[in-house]
Amino acid sequence: MTASDIVAPAAGPTSSNRHSTRVRVPGKVILSGEHAVIYGAPALACAIQIYAFAAVTTSSALGVRLKVPEFGIDQSFSLLQLFQLAQQTQSRHRQYLTASGLLSSVVLNPTEFFAAALGASGLVTLLSDQHGLVIELSLDLIAGGGMGSSAALVAAMLAASFQHVGEPLTSAELVLKTTQSEHWQHGRSSGVDPYVCVMGGLQQYHKGYGERHVIKQLAHYFLVTTGKPKSSTGECVDAVKQQGFPNTLWQEFSIVQENMRTALQLNQSMKMCNAVKANHQLLKKIGVVPTLVCEFIDNIEAQGGAAKICGAGSVVGDLGGLVFVVGLNQALIEQLCLSYGYGVQAMCPDLQGVVYFE
């Protein structure tokens, strides 16, 4: 069944005299422990001041109108359609888990992904037969770039929707509901993206639980965008799994993560550089750092800095998503990025997590 088979015509205009519920959710970067977190090792991740936004208003038309301009989405759904999309997506995910379906077939397109996340959240049982909702999503985050954009968008959408209908979610509930849709995207999500996006701050995440740590002002810490990877997070995770690495490798990731956490808290620049370099070597070993990104990181190290990818990386092509850089001044990293055609910005931690505006 295609989206055109199940999507109804666009709803009428929003009732202009109803208030809007607005929510902001930060993106995140994984500083250490990507991939390893799936195998029980801790991850160190930090929310960043780059955001996803949701605005929800009441409509006189029944059902839900979903608008996401960045993805070209402006579609309306009945409550039954939302529920059916959730059921169909969950069924395809179960097929993937039992090896009778492909991960690429679980989520058919962004429109159905967001609609299914709404349908699976329990929101449909709270909407009356007297009105509907208009939900508009937007983002400053780079979609598919290792910043947790899908988790931040879904968390914003659900937080604003439940708040608007008078049934606000606790942080724990929001993390749980958002993680459900992350499983569809990534096969088996560790849950680190939803947790950090919702909670904010610097988090040491391990087996579903996070421990917040104090983080000082970061100087000479940068985020470089190398471009959206050709392979998805789920495809990278599957590629790593198929190699059957021993548990000792994931223990090495744990040691690096602890060294990085200590260096961050004590503001030890040399120890931080060494930890980032060690993390990069481990990621190269599991085969998720594209050759061109490795060359870029080699150049950074030659200038006295250190760098590593911050997401799942890629097992196809030259683009590796987000790269975390330490130990260089702004002028030098900007010059290096210019020669590769990469974007760069200072890393600014977000300490608030989900923020509501009404």
Side-chain angles (χ1 to χ4, degrees):
M1 183 177 290
T2 65
S4 59
D5 293 324
I6 55 179
V7 176
T14 307
S15 177
S16 60
N17 62 345
R18 304 297 182 102
H19 79 282
S20 173
T21 301
R22 296 177 297 119
V23 166
R24 184 187 77 189
V25 176
K28 69 89 189 69
V29 292
I30 297 180
L31 302 180
S32 182
E34 54 280 278
H35 288 284
V37 68
I38 298 171
Y39 299 92
L44 189 68
C46 188
I48 54 176
Q49 291 181 29
I50 313 175
Y51 299 99
F53 305 90
V56 178
T57 52
T58 303
S59 171
S60 57
L62 300 181
V64 172
R65 182 178 180 183
L66 179 63
K67 302 170 67 176
V68 194
E70 283 82 357
F71 293 110
I73 299 171
D74 187 351
Q75 301 284 1
S76 293
F77 302 86
S78 70
L79 301 184
L80 178 59
Q81 287 172 334
L82 293 177
F83 178 77
Q84 289 175 335
L85 278 172
Q87 293 293 100
Q88 292 161 5
T89 306
Q90 288 170 331
S91 176
R92 292 193 295 267
H93 185 248
R94 285 193 295 269
Q95 290 173 355
Y96 162 75
L97 293 177
T98 58
S100 59
L102 299 175
L103 180 60
S104 58
S105 69
V106 176
V107 175
L108 301 182
N109 55 61
T111 305
E112 292 196 11
F113 170 70
F114 292 115
L118 284 170
S121 70
L123 178 69
V124 296
T125 63
L126 301 177
L127 293 177
S128 77
D129 58 2
Q130 301 300 314
H131 63 80
L133 298 178
V134 176
I135 302 172
E136 184 162 3
L137 308 180
S138 60
L139 71 165
D140 295 334
L141 296 160
I142 298 173
M147 295 182 179
S149 59
S150 65
L153 278 168
V154 171
M157 176 178 69
L158 298 183
S161 298
F162 277 82
Q163 180 84 358
H164 191 78
V165 300
E167 296 289 342
L169 298 172
T170 66
S171 295
E173 289 170 336
L174 183 55
V175 169
L176 186 63
K177 291 179 184 295
T178 303
T179 301
Q180 181 172 229
S181 61
E182 286 292 284
H183 288 314
W184 302 339
Q185 291 271 70
H186 306 314
R188 296 175 178 85
S189 171
S190 67
V192 62
D193 284 17
Y195 190 92
V196 177
C197 291
V198 170
M199 299 298 186
L202 177 68
Q203 300 280 351
Q204 185 175 32
Y205 183 86
H206 190 217
K207 295 183 177 179
Y209 297 94
E211 180 182 356
R212 185 162 180 153
H213 293 275
V214 174
I215 185 169
K216 298 181 179 180
Q217 185 65 35
L218 302 180
H220 305 307
Y221 286 25
F222 300 96
L223 299 175
V224 172
T225 52
T226 70
K228 184 177 179 179
K230 297 293 184 183
S231 50
S232 69
T233 296
E235 289 166 341
C236 289
V237 168
D238 278 350
V240 172
K241 180 181 178 182
Q242 290 168 12
Q243 297 180 71
F245 291 109
N247 287 335
T248 52
L249 178 66
W250 310 120
Q251 291 167 6
E252 290 183 58
F253 272 95
S254 296
I255 294 170
V256 168
Q257 182 273 150
E258 184 60 25
N259 288 340
M260 192 179 295
R261 184 185 67 80
T262 303
L264 267 172
Q265 290 192 286
L266 299 179
N267 201 23
Q268 297 174 325
S269 57
M270 184 58 69
K271 186 172 184 177
M272 186 65 181
C273 278
N274 290 338
V276 171
K277 287 179 181 179
N279 205 149
H280 170 58
Q281 292 302 317
L282 290 173
L283 291 168
K284 283 177 61 178
K285 184 178 293 187
I286 64 175
V288 296
V289 188
T291 301
L292 187 62
V293 176
C294 281
E295 178 190 297
F296 173 69
I297 292 174
D298 287 344
N299 283 329
I300 287 174
E301 292 185 357
Q303 297 290 337
K308 58 172 287 294
I309 59 170
C310 281
S314 188
V315 293
V316 178
D318 291 331
L319 308 179
L322 202 63
V323 172
F324 175 53
V325 179
V326 300
L328 296 185
N329 63 45
Q330 186 167 345
L332 188 50
I333 186 59
E334 286 179 349
Q335 181 181 353
L336 280 172
C337 287
L338 185 63
S339 66
Y340 280 83
Y342 295 161
V344 61
Q345 58 191 304
M347 177 181 162
C348 300
D350 174 277
L351 304 181
Q352 295 179 287
V354 178
V355 174
Y356 293 85
F357 307 94
E358 289 195 71

